[in-house]
Every structure is written in structure tokens, then in C-alpha cells.
Amino acid sequence: MRYKIVTAAALALAAALSLSACGNGGGPAGADGSLAEVSAPPRDKAATVLDRPFEKPDLVLTDTSGKPYDLRERTKGKPTLVYFGYTHCPDVCPLTMSNIAVARKQLPQADQDKLQVVFVTTDPERDTAAELAKWLPAAGDPSFVGLTGDFPTIQAAARQLGIGVEPSTRDKDGKVVSMHGTQVVAFSPKTDRGYVLYGEDTTPDDFAKDLPKIVKGENP
């Protein structure tokens, strides 16, 4: 049975989703900045289904070939997974890309061709188009789209999806750290809205189980 998490329970879920090894990120917020109501996933499900799906950000950045990439235009009518991270991330980012890549390969070829996976850097100063082009095939899959651009544009797009992204800083040892939320947002090919969230603990098996439905625009 589906039910809504509201008020304190929703805030608790948002706080849980914000925890990240790479940094802090916001919980699921609506397009107007308010907290999105979500359907509580059973304990055996990784997906969080939003009752108020996100609008796809009107985002134009630079892809790995150095050309402009319009997110709305290029992914219109296609099942799409969007993730914000950075190539120097020591753990969560490459693991997430790898998990999605493993699950994607279990889909029939026709569905693999439909699925769009978009990685948006949160560290554009270091993550140039060339750097993303080198990193993404190794961390995930050659079919994955890598996007870079100016930080304010990237941060604004992430916030539209309830994902916190902060400017890169240096820790006490001088190491550059990019603080960001680690949710994967799935967009429906039927509505082009982001209706499902996955946290950093999502396994390849979790993705493999859900992707056939994501490709069809169905709730996992």
C-alpha cells in the first residue's frame, strides 16, 4: 500500500538522503522549493517515488565533445538518470556510475539504447570536457553523457531537483573537496519529469531490478 510521508517524517527522510561520503546534499524538494511529499519505499526497495515529480531543469552545458548539450531537448521522451558528482571523488561517484553501468548491461539492447545516463560535474574547474571524456568510460560506460560548465548554473539546476551542491573547498591538508548530494534522479520518458530518487546505497541489483520499469516510465 502506498502512503505519504509528511511533516516530521518527511524531514527525517530528507535528512537521511542528504548524508553523503562526498558531501552534504539537500533532501527531496519540490519545484517551488518546498519539501516534496514522497511515497515511502518498502524496506526491500531502493526507490523513493515522488508524489510531486520534479520538472526537468532547463539546463544547457558542455558535453565531452566540447559541444553545447541541452538537457531537456536531448533527453526529451527518453528514460533518463541524472547524477551530480565529480571525477576526483574517492568513492561514491565512481561507485554509483559503475553500479548503473552494470545494471544497464543487463537490459535488452533496445532498452540500453533508450536509457540516457547524464553525469553533471560539481567541480567544473577541474572537470573539463576532456577530463570527463577520459573518466566516464572507465568509471561507468562510454554511452554516459558528461556535462560541465559554470558552477552557478550547475548549482541552480541541482537545487531544482532538491540536491545540494556547494562550491569546492580545500580541507586542512589542502585537498580539494566537492560537497554534493548523491541522489540519482530518474526521469520518465512519458512525462519528462523526475519521479524517482535513488540514494548512494543503491546496489547494481537494485538498479537492475528497477531499470526495466524506468525505461517504460512505470513506478519501480
Side-chain angles (χ1 to χ4, degrees), residues 60-70 119 121 127-129 132 145-150:
V60 179
L61 293 172
T62 302
D63 65 16
T64 54
S65 65
K67 298 179 180 179
Y69 185 98
D70 186 320
F119 180 93
T121 182
D127 286 346
T128 62
L132 287 169
V145 176
L147 300 180
T148 188
D150 64 282

Side-chain angles (χ1 to χ4, degrees), residues 13-99:
L13 175 61
L17 285 173
S18 72
L19 298 177
S20 160
C22 286
N24 297 321
D32 59 357
S34 61
L35 189 67
E37 294 180 357
V38 300
S39 297
R43 290 185 178 276
D44 62 343
K45 297 187 71 173
T48 298
V49 180
L50 300 178
D51 290 319
R52 288 184 290 150
F54 295 114
E55 291 282 351
K56 188 177 291 181
D58 185 8
L59 180 64
V60 179
L61 293 172
T62 302
D63 65 16
T64 54
S65 65
K67 298 179 180 179
Y69 185 98
D70 186 320
L71 180 65
R72 284 186 176 177
E73 179 183 317
R74 297 288 290 275
T75 63
K76 184 176 181 179
K78 300 177 180 179
T80 304
L81 304 181
V82 175
Y83 180 81
F84 290 81
Y86 66 118
T87 66
H88 291 77
C89 175
D91 39 41
V92 178
C93 300
L95 179 60
T96 299
M97 291 297 98
S98 175
N99 288 346

Side-chain angles (χ1 to χ4, degrees), residues 77-79 104-116 211-212 215-216:
K78 300 177 180 179
R104 176 184 175 276
K105 291 177 181 177
Q106 297 181 46
L107 290 169
Q109 187 61 52
D111 287 348
Q112 290 187 42
D113 295 340
K114 292 176 184 176
L115 183 65
Q116 307 295 299
L211 284 183
V215 168
K216 296 177 182 177

Side-chain angles (χ1 to χ4, degrees), residues 113-153:
D113 295 340
K114 292 176 184 176
L115 183 65
Q116 307 295 299
V117 180
V118 180
F119 180 93
V120 184
T121 182
T122 59
D123 184 21
E125 185 173 339
R126 292 186 295 174
D127 286 346
T128 62
E131 184 68 20
L132 287 169
K134 180 175 62 177
W135 183 82
L136 265 179
D141 187 273
S143 70
F144 291 0
V145 176
L147 300 180
T148 188
D150 64 282
F151 181 81
T153 299

Side-chain angles (χ1 to χ4, degrees), residues 3-17:
Y3 58 94
K4 294 180 180 179
I5 301 176
V6 294
T7 60
L11 291 172
L13 175 61
L17 285 173

